[in-house]
Amino acid sequence: MKLTKLLKLSLLLSLTVFGWSCKDKEDTEPVIDQESDTAVNNWILDVMDEVYYWLDNLGTPIADDSDPEDYFNALLYKPTDRFSVIYPDYQELINNLSGVTLEAGYEFQLYLESQGSTNVIAEISYVKKGSPAESAGLVRGDIITKINGTQITTDNYRDLLSEIESQHSITYLSLNPTTLVYEQQPPLTLETVQLAENPNYIDTIYTIDGEKIGYFMYNFFAPGNGGTSTTYDDQVDEIFAKFKSENINHLIIDFRYNGGGYVTSATNLASLIAPAVTTSDIFSKTKYNSFLMSEIPELSDVKTNFRTKTQNLGNILDGNRVYILTSPRTASASELVINGLKPYMDVFLIGDKTYGKNVGSIPFEDEENSENPYGLLPIVSRSFNSLDQSDYTTGFTPNISVKESSERLRPLGDITELLLRTAISQITGTPSSGRFETLDRVDIGSTLDRKVRTGIMIEEQIIK
């Protein structure tokens, strides 16, 4: 079969989460006649009937001239399968998986303006380097109330979010650092660009109470721009080389906004952290449906081993422990790293419960029909660590529970910032002496939830 031969040559493993659509359906669906719909749907069924992880529970196909998105969704094993997705443009999908998107360069969290209100505020989580948003002076903690002059509400926020992929204006408030009062700013118009985001957001070393602490905020897993280079992975190696040369004795990895990425990059990062691992040590295992494992014997025993890295921190971390900052947007490849490190060291989680995704997908395109633009990301696998542990479908529960939303946002990397402050206090044994106002806010979503890359875990393996 064609797909089986393809899998023998190049296996792309991925884990995916998909939030609300960033475009309206009528804006993204290609115009296809009924005859073309039938061809597309036949291709969808061919793919699903071979690779779908829950093959024994594949849904009953609807009419073969149906809308392809409806056809695909009818095949899914609901409610167990929360993740498989069809995307209207395969090439755009591949770009987005590597963090290359058309945007202004900022992410935000949505909250009710107040208890019982239908108004929604959008608090900026972080601003991307080299983006129009950064050039315009937006910073973490700014609060957006209107998009293109329209107040954000519980009824319209999904529609308004579709407008930020092109030039748009925002009405927002900024915190006055002197008075600590939010002040209204003039409306701001933001351009959008094809932005290649670097996942290596912050790295620094703190010396506090005699403890030397390395901090690394990593926002998704990608080896390089477009996934075709190793620029980003090389930068991670350099960061850890610096941590090692400076003899840090504690490590904090910030995954709070990390929804996934390439398994090659996840393996690279884990290989820098796990104490003195080599290529004989197993990082993760992957299992597929019974049909694939019988057709391709190599798939019955797929293992991803650690790499031997000269920048590996070895045994310099006190208590053989790594601290990882988490949130409900910590997913897939991030969880893979957490799960993969657990057999080798003490993984201490601080933050909120992670998303919970231990299953994987492969991105498919129809190479035989140039008129079919769709891309598929069906669930095809499940991931385990070296001890065959995979029981985190409801997420990893942190050792210390802290919700980022419970305080006003402080700059990332600032030692008074809530999650980082909590980790430092755990390391030093000294509680923070600052006074911090507690907020009670209702989280209704984030721009990170709608990222195509969110929760993606992609790996290329040659099956011999």
PDB file of all heavy atoms in Angstrom, residues 63 86 130 147 170 186 241 252 299 377 390-391 397 426 449:
ATOM      1  N   ALA A  63     -21.872  10.543   3.577  1.00  0.00           N
ATOM      2  CA  ALA A  63     -21.905  10.592   2.109  1.00  0.00           C
ATOM      3  C   ALA A  63     -20.558  11.050   1.558  1.00  0.00           C
ATOM      4  O   ALA A  63     -19.954  12.007   2.064  1.00  0.00           O
ATOM      5  CB  ALA A  63     -23.010  11.539   1.654  1.00  0.00           C
ATOM      6  N   ILE A  86      -8.286  18.213  10.604  1.00  0.00           N
ATOM      7  CA  ILE A  86      -8.086  18.432   9.174  1.00  0.00           C
ATOM      8  C   ILE A  86      -7.831  19.910   8.980  1.00  0.00           C
ATOM      9  O   ILE A  86      -8.454  20.750   9.635  1.00  0.00           O
ATOM     10  CB  ILE A  86      -9.305  17.953   8.354  1.00  0.00           C
ATOM     11  CG1 ILE A  86      -9.038  18.121   6.847  1.00  0.00           C
ATOM     12  CG2 ILE A  86     -10.583  18.663   8.785  1.00  0.00           C
ATOM     13  CD1 ILE A  86     -10.111  17.473   5.974  1.00  0.00           C
ATOM     14  N   GLY A 130      11.551  41.115  17.673  1.00  0.00           N
ATOM     15  CA  GLY A 130      11.632  41.486  16.268  1.00  0.00           C
ATOM     16  C   GLY A 130      10.288  41.619  15.587  1.00  0.00           C
ATOM     17  O   GLY A 130      10.216  41.686  14.359  1.00  0.00           O
ATOM     18  N   ILE A 147     -10.740  45.377  19.810  1.00  0.00           N
ATOM     19  CA  ILE A 147     -10.038  45.048  18.569  1.00  0.00           C
ATOM     20  C   ILE A 147     -10.815  45.689  17.433  1.00  0.00           C
ATOM     21  O   ILE A 147     -12.027  45.492  17.316  1.00  0.00           O
ATOM     22  CB  ILE A 147      -9.925  43.525  18.372  1.00  0.00           C
ATOM     23  CG1 ILE A 147      -9.054  42.914  19.478  1.00  0.00           C
ATOM     24  CG2 ILE A 147      -9.332  43.205  16.994  1.00  0.00           C
ATOM     25  CD1 ILE A 147      -8.969  41.400  19.438  1.00  0.00           C
ATOM     26  N   ILE A 170      -5.875  48.080  18.114  1.00  0.00           N
ATOM     27  CA  ILE A 170      -6.266  47.665  19.455  1.00  0.00           C
ATOM     28  C   ILE A 170      -6.436  48.893  20.338  1.00  0.00           C
ATOM     29  O   ILE A 170      -5.751  49.901  20.164  1.00  0.00           O
ATOM     30  CB  ILE A 170      -5.240  46.706  20.096  1.00  0.00           C
ATOM     31  CG1 ILE A 170      -3.859  47.365  20.200  1.00  0.00           C
ATOM     32  CG2 ILE A 170      -5.163  45.391  19.325  1.00  0.00           C
ATOM     33  CD1 ILE A 170      -2.844  46.551  21.005  1.00  0.00           C
ATOM     34  N   PRO A 186      -3.631  55.574  23.590  1.00  0.00           N
ATOM     35  CA  PRO A 186      -4.273  55.846  22.292  1.00  0.00           C
ATOM     36  C   PRO A 186      -4.395  54.549  21.496  1.00  0.00           C
ATOM     37  O   PRO A 186      -3.550  53.648  21.619  1.00  0.00           O
ATOM     38  CB  PRO A 186      -3.303  56.818  21.615  1.00  0.00           C
ATOM     39  CG  PRO A 186      -2.464  57.378  22.714  1.00  0.00           C
ATOM     40  CD  PRO A 186      -2.361  56.306  23.754  1.00  0.00           C
ATOM     41  N   ALA A 241      25.829  25.050  27.385  1.00  0.00           N
ATOM     42  CA  ALA A 241      27.285  25.121  27.544  1.00  0.00           C
ATOM     43  C   ALA A 241      27.636  26.231  28.531  1.00  0.00           C
ATOM     44  O   ALA A 241      28.543  26.077  29.372  1.00  0.00           O
ATOM     45  CB  ALA A 241      27.949  25.356  26.197  1.00  0.00           C
ATOM     46  N   ILE A 252      16.015  25.748  36.120  1.00  0.00           N
ATOM     47  CA  ILE A 252      14.583  25.989  35.965  1.00  0.00           C
ATOM     48  C   ILE A 252      14.284  26.074  34.471  1.00  0.00           C
ATOM     49  O   ILE A 252      14.859  26.906  33.764  1.00  0.00           O
ATOM     50  CB  ILE A 252      14.144  27.298  36.645  1.00  0.00           C
ATOM     51  CG1 ILE A 252      14.481  27.283  38.134  1.00  0.00           C
ATOM     52  CG2 ILE A 252      12.649  27.533  36.431  1.00  0.00           C
ATOM     53  CD1 ILE A 252      14.269  28.629  38.826  1.00  0.00           C
ATOM     54  N   LEU A 299       7.772  -1.022  13.387  1.00  0.00           N
ATOM     55  CA  LEU A 299       6.924  -0.144  14.189  1.00  0.00           C
ATOM     56  C   LEU A 299       6.467  -0.787  15.487  1.00  0.00           C
ATOM     57  O   LEU A 299       5.860  -0.126  16.328  1.00  0.00           O
ATOM     58  CB  LEU A 299       5.701   0.298  13.387  1.00  0.00           C
ATOM     59  CG  LEU A 299       5.966   1.233  12.205  1.00  0.00           C
ATOM     60  CD1 LEU A 299       4.654   1.660  11.574  1.00  0.00           C
ATOM     61  CD2 LEU A 299       6.765   2.452  12.635  1.00  0.00           C
ATOM     62  N   LEU A 377      -4.055  15.664  10.219  1.00  0.00           N
ATOM     63  CA  LEU A 377      -3.248  15.338  11.391  1.00  0.00           C
ATOM     64  C   LEU A 377      -4.038  14.352  12.252  1.00  0.00           C
ATOM     65  O   LEU A 377      -4.550  14.692  13.316  1.00  0.00           O
ATOM     66  CB  LEU A 377      -2.936  16.600  12.208  1.00  0.00           C
ATOM     67  CG  LEU A 377      -1.816  17.491  11.694  1.00  0.00           C
ATOM     68  CD1 LEU A 377      -1.834  18.826  12.414  1.00  0.00           C
ATOM     69  CD2 LEU A 377      -0.467  16.827  11.874  1.00  0.00           C
ATOM     70  N   SER A 390       2.848   6.003  30.679  1.00  0.00           N
ATOM     71  CA  SER A 390       2.181   6.903  29.735  1.00  0.00           C
ATOM     72  C   SER A 390       0.873   7.432  30.295  1.00  0.00           C
ATOM     73  O   SER A 390       0.021   7.900  29.566  1.00  0.00           O
ATOM     74  CB  SER A 390       1.915   6.163  28.414  1.00  0.00           C
ATOM     75  OG  SER A 390       1.323   7.007  27.465  1.00  0.00           O
ATOM     76  N   ASP A 391       0.718   7.374  31.600  1.00  0.00           N
ATOM     77  CA  ASP A 391      -0.559   7.680  32.222  1.00  0.00           C
ATOM     78  C   ASP A 391      -0.652   9.160  32.603  1.00  0.00           C
ATOM     79  O   ASP A 391      -0.648   9.521  33.773  1.00  0.00           O
ATOM     80  CB  ASP A 391      -0.775   6.793  33.452  1.00  0.00           C
ATOM     81  CG  ASP A 391      -2.183   6.936  34.021  1.00  0.00           C
ATOM     82  OD1 ASP A 391      -3.063   7.390  33.280  1.00  0.00           O
ATOM     83  OD2 ASP A 391      -2.370   6.596  35.203  1.00  0.00           O
ATOM     84  N   THR A 397       0.164  16.720  37.404  1.00  0.00           N
ATOM     85  CA  THR A 397      -0.176  17.592  38.528  1.00  0.00           C
ATOM     86  C   THR A 397       1.107  18.156  39.121  1.00  0.00           C
ATOM     87  O   THR A 397       2.030  17.405  39.428  1.00  0.00           O
ATOM     88  CB  THR A 397      -0.954  16.826  39.609  1.00  0.00           C
ATOM     89  OG1 THR A 397      -2.163  16.322  39.030  1.00  0.00           O
ATOM     90  CG2 THR A 397      -1.289  17.723  40.782  1.00  0.00           C
ATOM     91  N   GLN A 426      11.578  27.848  46.497  1.00  0.00           N
ATOM     92  CA  GLN A 426      11.720  26.422  46.756  1.00  0.00           C
ATOM     93  C   GLN A 426      13.194  26.025  46.796  1.00  0.00           C
ATOM     94  O   GLN A 426      13.623  25.203  47.615  1.00  0.00           O
ATOM     95  CB  GLN A 426      10.983  25.621  45.685  1.00  0.00           C
ATOM     96  CG  GLN A 426      11.039  24.122  45.836  1.00  0.00           C
ATOM     97  CD  GLN A 426      10.307  23.614  47.066  1.00  0.00           C
ATOM     98  OE1 GLN A 426       9.378  24.257  47.544  1.00  0.00           O
ATOM     99  NE2 GLN A 426      10.716  22.462  47.581  1.00  0.00           N
ATOM    100  N   ASP A 449      -4.027  28.777  22.317  1.00  0.00           N
ATOM    101  CA  ASP A 449      -4.893  27.624  22.087  1.00  0.00           C
ATOM    102  C   ASP A 449      -5.226  27.439  20.612  1.00  0.00           C
ATOM    103  O   ASP A 449      -5.583  26.347  20.184  1.00  0.00           O
ATOM    104  CB  ASP A 449      -6.208  27.775  22.864  1.00  0.00           C
ATOM    105  CG  ASP A 449      -5.994  27.837  24.360  1.00  0.00           C
ATOM    106  OD1 ASP A 449      -4.979  27.288  24.835  1.00  0.00           O
ATOM    107  OD2 ASP A 449      -6.829  28.433  25.051  1.00  0.00           O
TER     108      ASP A 449
END
